[in-house]
Amino acid sequence: MSQEQNSNQENNGQQDVNRLLQVRREKLATLQEAGKDPFQITKFDVTHHSREIKDGFDELEGKSVAIAGRMMFKRVMGKASFCNIQDLNGNIQCYVARDCIGEEPYADFKKYDVGDILGVSGEVFKTKTGEISIHAASVTLLSKSLQILPEKFHGLTDTDTRYRQRYVDLIMNAEVKDTFVKRSKILSSIRRYLDGQGFMEVETPMLVSNAGGAAARPFETHYNALDEDVKLRISLELYLKRLIVGGMERVYEIGRVFRNEGLDTRHNPEFTLMELYQAYTDYYGMMDLTENMFRYVAQEVCGTTVIPDMEETIDLGKPFERLTMVEAVKRYTGIDFDEVPDTAAAKRLADEKEVHYEERHAKGDILNLFFEEFVEEHLIQPTFVMDHPVEISPLTKRKPDKPDYVERFELFIYGREMCNAYSELNDPIDQRHRFEEQEKQFAQGNEEANHTDEDFLNALEIGMPPTGGIGYGIDRLVMLLTNSPAIRDVLLFPTMRSTT
């Protein structure tokens, strides 16, 4: 087929669509002229949803119900018709007969379009073919759809359109709606678990003068009322620790954070983070809490601790493996960084293995680069990777017996980092030195380095108890428990490039 023929077909197709859209507007105008404007209706008393009716058929058979939802299918057969109504829980068939709802309402019903939102009242029954249905006594047009839904057989498959028009995606793809229902259940389950452990949910600022607590570049904006430049937070850490100083022994927050970074299957510039802090415990306490919480949430939301995840099955019921970063690198490369004497030797190893590093990087930085390059992808089953180098952990307590390393862990599942935890640094003198080192790194070009936070240092000087803290990527947990391959699949409205 020639390019000209393709172009003509596209033009004809667009003209057909435009005519159909015009017909819908004309139908609305006719209704409005007849005093039947659906947009004037303010409410409809829903008594049941589709799943309730199907699950409770034995009790509801022959009884009157009222449902509301979007008409996804209609078949007109003279004096009687069938339609399918989709609501929050699923869909249900409705039998609409002229002799039951009246001649004029039936004439109106025949003109309704797929996509219109209807309220249907009637009795629950089962058709001759055994399908649970509603025998309509009345049908009310609650909202007129002026657009055309994607053709049902092919559905909505274009990923760009799905993300940009999530409202259409939710209508056309039941599994998408299921993902976001499950996301809500995951958050509720987390809150129940932590509330049961004596944690208090709190809220901290999103607009801050110093965006610290993580290695990330912040978004910057200007606060007109104070004539000050401010940043969107990149983590929740430093304010939550202030609350520990204030005597609130167990706190957590679930909230949006913002990082001025790229887009890929695991990263979105705004995402949901949960951080929690518990006084008088350490990173081992955080490991136990994490393992128990993941099992609890999986069992509540999925009904099992064995989770299918792409090509693998993840078993959250077994004890999570624990190994140090040095042990992990040794396992997958044969190199023991405990035997590497200094930074120069580490850089020689990096050159041999073609691991890219920057001039400012020290031995600990290069150990982490080896871990990212050679280890992460292999950590499929739940694995706590412990004892990170101090160079990449500016807010963490050193290990007393190995001061070049800190009491920190990250949990990896299916090659993804799921959380990051510390025995929190509560020594204000050491913390000031760490901030000074971060300032040097920023001056050397590391845009993700932390800046000195004098008020946070003042809080530490007031005195913070020994504390365990942890941050969870909620979106990645949802990806795991919904078997979703990309972070955009679990964000209702992911960041997209503007089309204008």
Side-chain angles (χ1 to χ4, degrees), residues 245-365:
V245 171
M248 301 173 77
E249 294 182 1
R250 299 187 183 203
V251 295
Y252 75 96
E253 180 176 7
I254 300 174
R256 285 289 217 212
V257 296
F258 310 87
R259 299 182 182 180
N260 200 348
E261 56 189 19
L263 295 163
D264 60 32
T265 57
R266 300 187 192 183
H267 296 91
N268 194 72
E270 60 172 305
F271 62 97
T272 302
L273 182 66
M274 181 178 79
E275 292 196 32
L276 64 85
Y277 293 85
Q278 179 179 340
Y280 311 114
T281 191
D282 61 3
Y283 74 145
Y284 288 107
M286 293 295 99
M287 281 188 226
D288 293 340
L289 183 149
T290 297
E291 196 163 340
N292 291 333
M293 186 180 75
F294 271 50
R295 289 196 189 108
Y296 175 90
V297 173
Q299 188 66 50
E300 271 219 339
V301 175
C302 303
T304 179
T305 57
V306 179
I307 309 298
D309 197 83
M310 289 174 275
E311 296 89 7
E312 299 279 346
T313 296
I314 306 301
D315 192 345
L316 299 175
K318 293 181 179 178
F320 294 7
E321 184 176 9
R322 302 182 180 193
L323 72 163
T324 68
M325 184 178 282
V326 170
E327 290 169 342
V329 170
K330 184 177 179 180
R331 177 182 294 181
Y332 292 101
T333 68
I335 297 171
D336 186 349
F337 266 77
D338 279 345
E339 302 298 322
V340 177
D342 52 31
T343 295
K347 287 182 175 179
R348 286 195 294 272
L349 283 171
D351 291 337
E352 291 172 14
K353 294 289 187 179
E354 298 182 347
V355 174
H356 174 73
Y357 58 88
E358 297 178 26
E359 185 59 35
R360 62 181 174 81
H361 282 154
K363 172 187 167 181
D365 297 297

